[in-house]
Amino acid sequence: MDNILLMLPGPTTVDPRVLQAMGKSVVNHRGDEFGVIYDETTELMSKTFQTKNSSYILTGSGTSAMEAALANLVGKDEKVLNVVGGKFGGRFKEIADVHGINAQTLDVEWGTAVTPDMVEEALEADEDIKAVTVVHNETSTGVAAPIEEIGEVMKNYDALYIVDTVSSLAGDAVNVDKFHIDACVTGSQKCIAAPPGLAAVTFSDDAWAAAEKVESNSYYLNMPKYQKNGAKSPAQTPYTPSVNLIYALKEALEIIQAEGLDNRVARHHQAAAATRDAVKALGLELFPDESVSSATVTAVKMPEGLTDDQVRGTMLNKYGVQLAGGQDHLKGNIIRIGHMGVISYKELAITFTALGLTLKGLGKDIDAGAGVAALANHY
């Protein structure tokens, strides 16, 4: 297991410093010592979100943060516009449905990105829309949405702007305040490169004002409770948090600050460009258009005549490199290469060496080293 290289769209490889931090002794989650740690962690999270607003840590996956945003900001029978261009955009709609929210969808073909004009047109057509949900980085398709440009549209409307940055925060440009985002959510195990199991939420003043008027549809994810407990001295969470995972998250966020957020984002974009060129050098075809391609995961069409088991199975079982397959109707049709977190040229070189040898071994008439050679143009 230790020899498997994770090149997934999460979870990602965790720095040894982060793993070591997780091994510290458990402390009382209602005590002063943990209160200081929690405060420092949420402050680091707000720096990473690039917001003046407070942030809150949830013991749960990124989906818990998605649910927290919807359940606290949109009431039963109120309208939310869910942009759906992949599995996780669809998840927002599924959450809304569970909570009795009137979920409208703005459907976008998988592999393409929503445009600001599409969002503006939908808002103009229905003034009762209370919130709009957008997935910044749709890992199921390898597409990045233009959240900054959509924010310029959203600032002109009363509807709240809810953005999922689970697989983009600390890997692509996310500036909550500058992009006019009202509720931003993320997870621990992707670009942040901490272990799975934590999520984070930050709300704008407008979002908190809305939350005060909504009868929350959730007991555990009641965000006013998180706000109230977070303001205590020492700071607390309303329910028992995963203390050791918060140690790990704090360390991972400190690593991000030490690298520099802009530097980290630039590193991810460099890796994405190198990956796309390496894919093409091996004769493979990208799934989305490059103009909307993700900075943290690259989706590739399955090589003609080969199966998912052949390609990903060989990569894993023979070369120890784990890639992700397609989801829903894309299962068996694409492979997904994650390049997020602490990855560098070394991990990409190993990945494309293995991919080149795999394709060659499966009968493809290619130069097995062409992918690695293409990487060199970026490093």
Side-chain angles (χ1 to χ4, degrees):
M1 185 179 296
D2 289 341
N3 294 324
I4 300 299
L5 173 60
L6 296 179
M7 296 298 287
L8 304 169
T12 58
T13 300
V14 176
D15 190 289
R17 280 176 52 187
V18 176
L19 293 175
Q20 187 175 14
M22 192 165 57
K24 293 187 294 187
S25 297
V26 177
V27 297
N28 174 18
H29 65 288
R30 301 299 184 207
D32 290 345
E33 185 176 359
F34 180 75
V36 170
I37 293 169
Y38 182 73
D39 264 342
E40 291 175 348
T41 306
T42 56
E43 287 171 9
L44 286 165
M45 184 58 70
S46 289
K47 286 182 179 179
T48 308
F49 276 129
Q50 297 195 77
T51 181
K52 67 181 187 304
N53 304 315
S54 297
S55 296
Y56 301 90
I57 311 299
L58 308 178
T59 296
S61 70
T63 302
S64 70
M66 295 169 73
E67 185 161 7
L70 276 179
N72 286 273
L73 300 182
V74 187
K76 187 176 181 180
D77 296 326
E78 290 185 314
K79 284 187 181 180
V80 62
L81 179 68
N82 301 126
V83 176
V84 180
K87 184 175 180 66
F88 297 97
R91 182 165 295 180
F92 260 133
K93 182 188 182 303
E94 291 169 357
I95 292 168
D97 287 340
V98 166
H99 289 285
I101 296 167
N102 184 351
Q104 309 293 308
T105 59
L106 174 53
D107 292 307
V108 181
E109 183 181 356
W110 288 38
T112 67
V114 67
T115 66
D117 287 346
M118 293 166 68
V119 174
E120 185 168 26
E121 183 179 342
L123 290 169
E124 284 290 329
D126 192 344
E127 62 181 15
D128 292 330
I129 292 172
K130 186 178 181 183
V132 177
T133 67
V134 178
V135 175
H136 182 199
N137 188 75
E138 182 58 74
T139 54
S140 66
T141 62
V143 169
I147 59 169
E148 180 175 7
E149 292 81 359
I150 294 171
E152 287 300 311
V153 169
M154 294 297 302
K155 73 179 183 181
N156 298 318
Y157 294 86
D158 292 333
L160 298 170
Y161 187 24
I162 302 173
V163 182
D164 168 353
T165 64
V166 170
S167 60
S168 63
L169 188 70
D172 202 354
V174 177
N175 188 318
V176 168
D177 291 350
K178 181 180 177 183
F179 296 177
H180 310 288
I181 297 172
D182 291 297
C184 198
V185 304
T186 197
S188 58
Q189 80 279 16
K190 296 184 183 277
C191 303
I192 291 173
L198 295 179
V201 181
T202 186
F203 282 180
S204 70
D205 290 342
D206 286 345
W208 283 118
E212 291 175 1
K213 299 174 183 177
V214 171
E215 185 175 346
S216 177
N217 291 313
S218 177
Y219 181 85
Y220 184 72
L221 299 175
N222 184 302
M223 288 310 299
K225 290 182 181 178
Y226 280 85
Q227 184 186 45
K228 180 179 178 181
N229 281 268
K232 290 181 178 180
S233 183
Q236 297 181 13
T237 55
Y239 314 108
T240 305
S242 182
V243 171
N244 292 67
L245 284 180
I246 289 176
Y247 296 161
L249 177 61
K250 179 174 177 288
E251 190 72 21
L253 293 171
E254 287 176 345
I255 289 172
I256 291 169
Q257 292 300 317
E259 181 178 3
L261 192 55
D262 289 344
N263 293 334
R264 193 177 181 93
V265 169
R267 175 168 61 78
H268 279 76
H269 278 267
Q270 179 184 31
T275 297
R276 292 193 295 268
D277 281 355
V279 164
K280 291 183 290 184
L282 289 173
L284 302 177
E285 188 178 351
L286 298 168
F287 176 64
D289 186 272
E290 283 194 68
S291 64
V292 297
S293 288
S294 162
T296 66
V297 57
T298 296
V300 184
K301 292 182 180 179
M302 187 65 64
E304 187 175 353
L306 299 181
T307 67
D308 184 86
D309 285 344
Q310 286 176 311
V311 178
R312 291 200 306 121
T314 302
M315 290 278 289
L316 177 61
N317 298 322
K318 188 171 183 178
Y319 299 110
V321 178
Q322 190 164 32
L323 307 181
Q327 296 174 299
D328 290 352
H329 67 276
L330 294 180
K331 188 173 183 179
N333 295 319
I334 64 170
I335 56 177
R336 296 176 297 144
I337 305 169
H339 33 80
M340 57 178 74
V342 298
I343 66 98
S344 64
Y345 172 77
K346 179 182 77 171
E347 289 79 17
L348 290 176
I350 293 170
T351 299
F352 281 98
T353 297
L355 182 55
L357 291 171
T358 294
L359 295 174
K360 188 78 171 179
L362 291 171
K364 290 296 180 182
D365 183 17
I366 61 165
D367 175 1
V372 175
L375 293 176
N377 295 324
H378 295 269
Y379 289 93

